[in-house]
Amino acid sequence: MNMRLPHRGWCIPVVCSALALFLSVPALSDPFLDITVPSGIALNGRNKGVAIADVDGDGYLDMFISNKGGPSHLYLNNGNGTYRDVTEEAGLDETGYAMGSTFGDVNNDGKPDLYVAKGGRYEIESNRLYLNAGTPGRPKFQDVTESAAVGIKTFTYGATMLDYDKDGRLDIYCSNYGVGQRNVLFRNVTAGPRPEDVKFVEATEDAGVGSNTWAWSSVAFDYDGDGWDDIYVSNGQYPGIGKNVLYRNLGNGKFKDVTDEAGVPNDAWTLGTGVGDINNSGFLSLYVSNYVGGNKLYLNLGNGRFKDITKSSGTDHNGWGKGTGFADTDHDGFQDIYEGDCKFSNQFYHNNGNLTFTDIVEKYPSMKLETIRTKGVAFFDQDNDGDMDLLVANWEVGPRVYRNDQNDESWIKVKAVGTTWNDAGRKYRTSRDAVGAKVRLYRDGRMIAFRQVLTSNGFCSCPPLEVHFGAHARHRYDIEVDFPSGIKVVRKSVSPGAAYTIPEAE
């Protein structure tokens, strides 16, 4: 039996290098349309970051847009291509003058909570943690910052959530900017779902991740495939001096700086770093957005090291790089890259499937945003039609929403759900929203694509906690989900053109 959810929504059974494989995937030439004005999104604000989640559980992805120069906004997806500003109604009217923010279920009650990285209007303000208490159509958040002990006043630019110790509870890592500031790691020690149960303790020194190198944002992902999420920190300061840091998770509560060993120091002024599997190898590569110095594309070699392929790949733009998003926008089986720029035109790199990219942004004039200072970006399926739409945050002129009208059945979406988060008998557990889970797509017994569930990607941005694949509509596929607990679940012979929820206990 299947449970029916919104248009082309999630199929939930209650009881029950790959270039050649994708050469025949049909792709439209001009599928993107700017729908910002009819969508109801405000065309103003000094926007910084974007965060995507289904905050009210109605099956449609909503958006939180951080504003450094005024009120931030939570927009509820009406399911018809329009959005409603529910910021005050949801209890988020004190979230303004913010930088990057992130969603994650910190108390494992099945609802995405919100951590807001605050900048401040006249002085630095405390970061805020809001627990989600909403229902479909009625968003509601409760501020638990003080009782949870996560209200630091350190000018946090970006925040990310990860379960670094695999105890089934999402921890928070803050990227802090300024003289003498160090990054901060909060370990989640929450004992239950109630607001008063939500607690964190600082674990920065014990974990060894307190770099004080003027951080702008971070991304947590498993770069070496050992089952433990690592952290890559984007650093930089005027006049452009800074060294990024790659912290390898040792699996014992501690991290080790392996930046030089892995080959990703990137001595420039980095604002954001995005990750994606650009060659379907099963490992996530890095696209580093540099504000000073050209952007860098580091190919993950799968042996703990990266290779700089920026020039040969055709992604060597030298502007004021800011925010990066990865998605298979045309369903040809390879992830493309959209890159925001604070000085010149944004770039839209089409993945050619051979470790080269072609900038196709000229085909989409409205997506260039020339002379507009783009900040955070995120791909997401805002209308549940299976193709990846795009949200772009901009300075002064407000955000833009682009609808992808690919309109084919050549896609698969996967929502992994953790069920071991409260199983005290297990050594390793998975958080309820399965952050860190790895999802592999197979065809005819061969892996053809790989994704990981992340709470941050690019500059100050949070992607949805679901993954998306391009998959030719004529074939059937196997989906494998590798949960942080060590449990693997395989769904056999699935059809494209559908979204699948895969619980850990299946």
Side-chain angles (χ1 to χ4, degrees):
M1 182 174 67
N2 286 343
M3 182 180 298
R4 186 174 62 83
L5 282 175
H7 174 60
R8 295 190 187 179
W10 300 98
C11 298
I12 310 176
V14 177
V15 178
C16 55
S17 272
L19 176 62
L21 295 177
F22 284 95
L23 285 177
S24 58
V25 174
L28 300 180
S29 58
D30 296 297
F32 283 95
L33 178 67
D34 186 343
I35 62 165
T36 310
V37 172
S39 74
I41 302 299
L43 293 173
N44 55 44
R46 293 183 169 182
N47 307 134
K48 279 289 185 179
V50 297
I52 306 295
D54 179 6
V55 300
D56 63 340
D58 68 348
Y60 288 94
L61 292 171
D62 312 300
M63 60 176 74
F64 181 79
I65 301 176
S66 302
N67 186 358
K68 186 182 179 182
S72 298
H73 295 278
L74 175 65
Y75 289 104
L76 204 66
N77 190 332
N78 294 321
N80 60 1
T82 67
Y83 293 81
R84 178 166 63 98
D85 189 338
V86 295
T87 311
E88 292 189 12
E89 173 188 338
L92 297 176
D93 47 312
E94 296 297 324
T95 59
Y97 302 95
M99 316 304 275
S101 304
T102 186
F103 283 108
D105 187 1
V106 300
N107 60 343
N108 287 316
D109 67 348
K111 300 176 181 180
D113 309 303
L114 177 65
Y115 189 71
V116 180
K118 293 280 282 185
R121 185 174 187 179
Y122 302 113
E123 62 180 25
I124 297 174
E125 299 175 5
S126 299
N127 297 346
R128 315 305 299 175
L129 175 61
Y130 295 91
L131 284 192
N132 190 334
T135 56
R138 297 179 179 273
K140 199 68 180 175
F141 287 83
Q142 178 180 348
D143 190 339
V144 295
T145 307
E146 303 308 321
S147 59
V150 290
I152 55 172
K153 297 176 66 173
T154 54
F155 203 86
T156 300
Y157 236 99
T160 186
M161 294 188 191
L162 72 159
D163 185 5
Y164 80 95
D165 51 2
K166 297 205 291 192
D167 66 351
R169 295 172 288 195
L170 289 181
D171 313 299
I172 301 174
Y173 187 69
C174 298
S175 302
N176 298 324
Y177 179 86
V179 177
Q181 299 291 357
R182 65 188 180 98
N183 297 342
V184 173
L185 174 65
F186 290 109
R187 181 171 177 262
N188 192 336
V189 293
T190 297
R194 301 175 304 171
E196 58 267 33
D197 296 330
V198 177
K199 305 288 182 184
F200 289 78
V201 295
E202 188 178 334
T204 312
E205 294 303 320
D206 287 344
V209 291
S211 64
N212 58 351
T213 46
W214 295 65
W216 292 79
S217 59
S218 301
V219 56
F221 71 111
D222 184 6
Y223 85 93
D224 55 358
D226 66 352
W228 297 88
D229 278 352
D230 314 294
I231 302 173
Y232 189 74
V233 184
S234 298
N235 298 315
Q237 67 185 91
Y238 185 83
I241 300 172
K243 180 179 178 180
N244 295 345
V245 179
L246 176 60
Y247 288 114
R248 180 173 181 262
N249 191 333
L250 301 180
N252 59 0
K254 298 183 182 300
F255 291 76
K256 178 184 177 182
D257 184 344
V258 295
T259 312
D260 293 327
E261 175 185 332
V264 287
N266 189 66
D267 297 313
W269 181 351
T270 303
L271 297 186
T273 299
V275 297
D277 186 359
I278 60 173
N279 60 338
N280 296 329
S281 65
F283 292 91
L284 299 178
S285 298
L286 297 170
Y287 190 78
V288 181
S289 303
N290 289 323
Y291 196 63
V292 175
N295 297 338
K296 295 287 187 182
L297 178 59
Y298 292 103
L299 176 68
N300 193 330
L301 300 178
N303 60 0
R305 293 190 56 80
F306 293 79
K307 179 182 179 181
D308 185 348
I309 62 167
T310 311
K311 188 172 183 179
S312 64
S313 69
T315 59
D316 52 342
H317 178 75
N318 191 348
W320 291 359
K322 200 81 170 192
T324 301
F326 282 82
D328 184 356
T329 60
D330 57 356
H331 297 164
D332 68 350
F334 292 92
Q335 285 193 297
D336 311 301
I337 301 173
Y338 184 83
E339 165 68 6
D341 195 287
C342 277
K343 184 178 182 181
F344 303 110
S345 167
N346 293 349
Q347 299 93 57
F348 189 4
Y349 291 114
H350 175 261
N351 190 331
N352 298 319
N354 58 1
L355 294 180
T356 69
F357 292 78
T358 301
D359 187 358
I360 59 173
V361 77
E362 293 292 339
K363 295 170 59 176
Y364 314 102
S366 68
M367 299 177 74
K368 294 173 68 175
L369 299 172
E370 291 177 289
T371 72
I372 293 174
R373 299 174 65 183
T374 291
K375 306 297 181 177
V377 306
F379 283 103
F380 71 119
D381 184 6
Q382 60 105 22
D383 49 5
N384 284 344
D385 67 348
D387 43 36
M388 297 301 280
D389 311 298
L390 178 64
L391 173 61
V392 181
N394 301 300
W395 187 258
E396 298 289 7
V397 301
R400 294 291 185 271
V401 184
Y402 299 98
R403 189 183 70 213
N404 186 345
D405 287 335
Q406 193 70 29
N407 293 336
D408 59 28
E409 299 297 322
S410 295
W411 56 272
I412 289 173
K413 290 196 300 183
V414 178
K415 171 66 176 175
V417 179
T419 60
T420 60
W421 50 271
N422 200 31
D423 186 348
R426 297 194 64 87
K427 182 177 181 180
Y428 300 126
R429 292 173 268 177
T430 302
S431 65
R432 189 157 179 169
D433 45 16
V435 170
K438 299 168 186 173
V439 186
R440 299 176 178 88
L441 190 67
Y442 290 83
R443 188 179 125 194
D444 298 329
R446 180 179 176 187
M447 191 196 79
I448 58 171
F450 169 80
R451 306 285 188 266
Q452 186 174 8
V453 180
L454 309 172
T455 67
S456 65
N457 210 2
F459 173 74
C460 292
S461 297
C462 169
L465 295 172
E466 62 187 44
V467 299
H468 167 273
F469 300 93
H472 198 291
R474 291 199 310 240
H475 303 283
R476 297 182 75 86
Y477 301 84
D478 296 338
I479 302 170
E480 177 189 83
V481 182
D482 187 356
F483 289 91
S485 65
I487 294 174
K488 286 188 180 181
V489 176
V490 178
R491 184 77 61 85
K492 292 280 191 179
S493 192
V494 304
S495 299
Y500 297 91
T501 292
I502 301 183
E504 190 177 17
E506 182 170 295

Coordinates of all heavy atoms in Angstrom, one line a residue, residues 290-333:
N290 N 35.8 31.9 -4.1 CA 36.8 32.9 -3.6 C 36.4 34.3 -3.9 O 36.2 34.6 -5.1 CB 38.2 32.6 -4.1 CG 38.8 31.3 -3.6 OD1 38.6 31.0 -2.4 ND2 39.5 30.5 -4.4
Y291 N 36.4 35.1 -2.9 CA 36.1 36.5 -3.1 C 37.3 37.3 -3.6 O 37.1 38.2 -4.4 CB 35.7 37.1 -1.7 CG 35.0 38.4 -1.8 CD1 33.7 38.6 -2.4 CD2 35.5 39.5 -1.2 CE1 33.1 39.8 -2.4 CE2 34.9 40.8 -1.2 CZ 33.6 40.9 -1.8 OH 33.0 42.1 -1.8
V292 N 38.4 36.8 -3.2 CA 39.7 37.3 -3.8 C 40.5 36.1 -4.2 O 40.8 35.2 -3.5 CB 40.5 38.1 -2.7 CG1 41.9 38.5 -3.3 CG2 39.7 39.4 -2.3
G293 N 40.8 36.1 -5.5 CA 41.5 34.9 -6.1 C 40.4 34.1 -6.8 O 39.2 34.1 -6.4
G294 N 40.8 33.4 -7.9 CA 39.8 32.7 -8.7 C 39.2 31.5 -7.9 O 39.8 31.0 -7.0
N295 N 38.0 31.1 -8.3 CA 37.4 30.0 -7.7 C 38.2 28.7 -8.0 O 38.9 28.7 -9.0 CB 35.9 29.8 -8.3 CG 35.0 31.0 -7.9 OD1 35.3 31.7 -6.9 ND2 34.0 31.2 -8.6
K296 N 37.9 27.7 -7.2 CA 38.7 26.4 -7.4 C 37.7 25.2 -7.4 O 36.8 25.2 -6.6 CB 39.7 26.3 -6.2 CG 40.8 27.3 -6.1 CD 41.8 27.1 -7.2 CE 43.0 28.0 -7.1 NZ 44.0 27.8 -8.1
L297 N 38.0 24.3 -8.2 CA 37.3 23.0 -8.2 C 38.3 21.9 -7.9 O 39.3 21.7 -8.6 CB 36.7 22.7 -9.6 CG 35.9 21.4 -9.8 CD1 34.8 21.3 -8.7 CD2 35.4 21.3 -11.2
Y298 N 38.1 21.3 -6.8 CA 39.0 20.2 -6.3 C 38.2 18.8 -6.5 O 37.2 18.6 -5.9 CB 39.3 20.4 -4.8 CG 40.2 21.5 -4.5 CD1 39.7 22.7 -4.0 CD2 41.6 21.5 -4.8 CE1 40.5 23.8 -3.7 CE2 42.4 22.6 -4.5 CZ 41.9 23.7 -3.9 OH 42.7 24.8 -3.6
L299 N 38.8 18.0 -7.3 CA 38.2 16.7 -7.6 C 38.7 15.7 -6.5 O 39.8 15.6 -6.2 CB 38.7 16.1 -8.9 CG 38.3 14.7 -9.3 CD1 36.8 14.6 -9.5 CD2 39.1 14.2 -10.5
N300 N 37.7 15.1 -5.9 CA 38.0 14.1 -4.8 C 38.4 12.8 -5.5 O 37.7 12.2 -6.3 CB 36.7 13.8 -4.0 CG 36.9 13.0 -2.8 OD1 37.9 12.2 -2.7 ND2 36.1 13.3 -1.7
L301 N 39.7 12.4 -5.2 CA 40.3 11.2 -5.8 C 39.9 9.9 -5.2 O 40.2 8.8 -5.7 CB 41.8 11.3 -5.8 CG 42.3 12.6 -6.6 CD1 43.9 12.6 -6.4 CD2 41.9 12.6 -8.0
G302 N 39.2 10.0 -4.0 CA 38.7 8.8 -3.4 C 39.7 8.1 -2.5 O 39.5 7.0 -2.0
N303 N 40.9 8.7 -2.3 CA 42.0 8.1 -1.5 C 42.4 9.0 -0.4 O 43.5 8.9 0.1 CB 43.2 7.8 -2.4 CG 43.7 9.0 -3.1 OD1 43.2 10.1 -3.0 ND2 44.8 8.8 -3.9
G304 N 41.5 10.0 -0.1 CA 41.9 10.9 1.0 C 42.5 12.2 0.5 O 42.9 13.1 1.2
R305 N 42.6 12.3 -0.9 CA 43.3 13.5 -1.5 C 42.4 14.1 -2.6 O 41.5 13.4 -3.1 CB 44.6 13.1 -2.1 CG 45.7 12.7 -1.0 CD 47.1 12.6 -1.6 NE 47.5 13.9 -2.3 CZ 48.0 14.9 -1.7 NH1 48.1 14.9 -0.4 NH2 48.3 16.0 -2.4
F306 N 42.7 15.3 -2.9 CA 41.9 16.0 -3.9 C 42.9 16.5 -5.0 O 44.1 16.7 -4.7 CB 41.2 17.2 -3.3 CG 40.1 16.9 -2.4 CD1 40.3 16.5 -1.1 CD2 38.8 17.0 -2.8 CE1 39.3 16.2 -0.2 CE2 37.7 16.7 -2.0 CZ 38.0 16.3 -0.7
K307 N 42.4 16.8 -6.2 CA 43.2 17.3 -7.2 C 42.6 18.6 -7.8 O 41.4 18.6 -8.1 CB 43.4 16.3 -8.4 CG 44.2 16.7 -9.6 CD 44.2 15.7 -10.7 CE 45.0 16.2 -11.9 NZ 45.0 15.1 -13.0
D308 N 43.4 19.6 -7.9 CA 42.9 20.9 -8.5 C 42.7 20.7 -10.0 O 43.6 20.6 -10.8 CB 43.9 22.0 -8.2 CG 43.4 23.4 -8.6 OD1 42.4 23.4 -9.4 OD2 44.0 24.4 -8.2
I309 N 41.4 20.7 -10.5 CA 41.1 20.6 -11.9 C 40.4 21.8 -12.4 O 39.7 21.8 -13.4 CB 40.3 19.3 -12.2 CG1 38.9 19.4 -11.5 CG2 41.0 18.1 -11.8 CD1 37.9 18.4 -12.0
T310 N 40.6 22.9 -11.7 CA 39.9 24.2 -12.0 C 40.1 24.6 -13.5 O 39.1 24.8 -14.2 CB 40.4 25.3 -11.2 OG1 40.4 24.9 -9.8 CG2 39.5 26.5 -11.3
K311 N 41.3 24.7 -13.9 CA 41.5 25.1 -15.3 C 41.1 24.2 -16.3 O 40.4 24.5 -17.3 CB 43.0 25.4 -15.5 CG 43.3 26.1 -16.8 CD 44.8 26.6 -16.9 CE 45.1 27.3 -18.2 NZ 46.5 27.8 -18.3
S312 N 41.4 22.9 -16.2 CA 41.0 21.9 -17.2 C 39.5 21.7 -17.2 O 39.0 21.3 -18.3 CB 41.7 20.6 -16.9 OG 41.3 20.0 -15.7
S313 N 38.8 21.9 -16.1 CA 37.4 21.7 -16.1 C 36.6 22.9 -16.7 O 35.4 22.8 -16.9 CB 36.9 21.5 -14.6 OG 37.1 22.7 -13.9
G314 N 37.2 24.1 -16.9 CA 36.6 25.2 -17.4 C 35.8 26.0 -16.4 O 34.9 26.8 -16.7
T315 N 36.1 25.8 -15.1 CA 35.4 26.5 -14.0 C 36.3 27.6 -13.4 O 36.1 28.0 -12.2 CB 34.9 25.5 -13.0 OG1 36.1 24.8 -12.4 CG2 33.9 24.5 -13.6
D316 N 37.3 28.1 -14.1 CA 38.3 29.0 -13.5 C 37.9 30.5 -13.6 O 38.6 31.3 -14.0 CB 39.6 28.8 -14.2 CG 39.6 28.9 -15.7 OD1 38.5 28.8 -16.2 OD2 40.6 29.1 -16.3
H317 N 36.6 30.8 -13.2 CA 36.2 32.2 -13.2 C 36.9 32.9 -12.1 O 37.0 32.4 -11.0 CB 34.7 32.2 -13.0 CG 34.1 33.6 -12.9 ND1 34.0 34.4 -14.1 CD2 33.7 34.4 -11.9 CE1 33.5 35.6 -13.7 NE2 33.3 35.6 -12.4
N318 N 37.3 34.2 -12.4 CA 38.0 35.0 -11.4 C 37.1 36.3 -11.2 O 37.3 37.2 -11.9 CB 39.4 35.3 -11.8 CG 40.2 36.0 -10.7 OD1 39.6 36.4 -9.7 ND2 41.5 36.1 -10.9
G319 N 36.2 36.2 -10.2 CA 35.4 37.3 -9.9 C 35.4 37.5 -8.4 O 36.4 37.5 -7.8
W320 N 34.2 37.8 -7.9 CA 34.0 37.8 -6.4 C 33.1 36.7 -6.0 O 31.9 36.9 -5.8 CB 33.4 39.2 -6.0 CG 34.3 40.3 -6.2 CD1 35.6 40.3 -6.6 CD2 34.1 41.7 -5.9 NE1 36.2 41.6 -6.6 CE2 35.2 42.5 -6.2 CE3 32.9 42.4 -5.4 CZ2 35.3 43.8 -6.0 CZ3 33.0 43.8 -5.2 CH2 34.2 44.5 -5.5
G321 N 33.6 35.5 -6.0 CA 32.8 34.3 -5.8 C 32.1 34.3 -4.4 O 32.7 34.8 -3.4
K322 N 31.0 33.7 -4.3 CA 30.2 33.8 -3.1 C 29.5 32.5 -2.8 O 29.9 31.8 -1.9 CB 29.2 34.9 -3.1 CG 28.7 35.4 -1.8 CD 29.6 36.3 -1.1 CE 29.0 37.0 0.1 NZ 29.8 38.1 0.6
G323 N 28.5 32.1 -3.5 CA 27.6 31.0 -3.2 C 27.5 30.0 -4.3 O 27.4 30.3 -5.4
T324 N 27.5 28.7 -3.9 CA 27.5 27.6 -4.9 C 26.4 26.6 -4.6 O 26.1 26.3 -3.4 CB 28.8 26.8 -4.8 OG1 29.9 27.7 -5.1 CG2 28.8 25.7 -5.8
G325 N 25.7 26.2 -5.6 CA 24.7 25.1 -5.5 C 25.0 24.0 -6.5 O 25.4 24.3 -7.7
F326 N 24.8 22.7 -6.1 CA 24.9 21.6 -7.0 C 23.6 21.0 -7.3 O 22.8 20.8 -6.3 CB 25.8 20.5 -6.4 CG 27.3 20.8 -6.4 CD1 27.9 21.6 -5.5 CD2 28.1 20.2 -7.4 CE1 29.3 21.9 -5.6 CE2 29.4 20.5 -7.5 CZ 30.0 21.3 -6.5
A327 N 23.3 20.6 -8.5 CA 22.1 19.8 -8.8 C 22.2 19.3 -10.2 O 22.8 19.9 -11.1 CB 20.8 20.7 -8.7
D328 N 21.5 18.2 -10.5 CA 21.3 17.7 -11.9 C 20.1 18.4 -12.4 O 19.0 17.9 -12.4 CB 21.2 16.2 -11.9 CG 21.1 15.6 -13.3 OD1 21.1 16.4 -14.2 OD2 21.1 14.4 -13.4
T329 N 20.3 19.5 -13.0 CA 19.2 20.4 -13.5 C 18.5 19.9 -14.7 O 17.4 20.3 -15.0 CB 19.7 21.8 -13.7 OG1 20.7 21.9 -14.7 CG2 20.2 22.4 -12.4
D330 N 19.2 19.1 -15.6 CA 18.6 18.7 -16.8 C 18.5 17.2 -16.9 O 18.1 16.7 -18.0 CB 19.5 19.2 -18.0 CG 20.9 18.7 -17.9 OD1 21.3 18.1 -16.9 OD2 21.7 19.0 -18.9
H331 N 18.7 16.5 -15.8 CA 18.4 15.1 -15.7 C 19.2 14.2 -16.7 O 18.8 13.2 -17.2 CB 16.9 14.8 -15.9 CG 16.1 15.4 -14.8 ND1 14.7 15.5 -15.0 CD2 16.4 15.9 -13.6 CE1 14.2 16.1 -13.9 NE2 15.2 16.4 -13.1
D332 N 20.5 14.7 -16.9 CA 21.4 13.9 -17.7 C 22.3 13.0 -16.9 O 23.1 12.3 -17.5 CB 22.2 14.8 -18.6 CG 23.2 15.6 -17.9 OD1 23.2 15.7 -16.6 OD2 24.1 16.3 -18.5
G333 N 22.1 12.9 -15.6 CA 22.9 12.1 -14.8 C 24.1 12.7 -14.1 O 24.8 12.0 -13.4

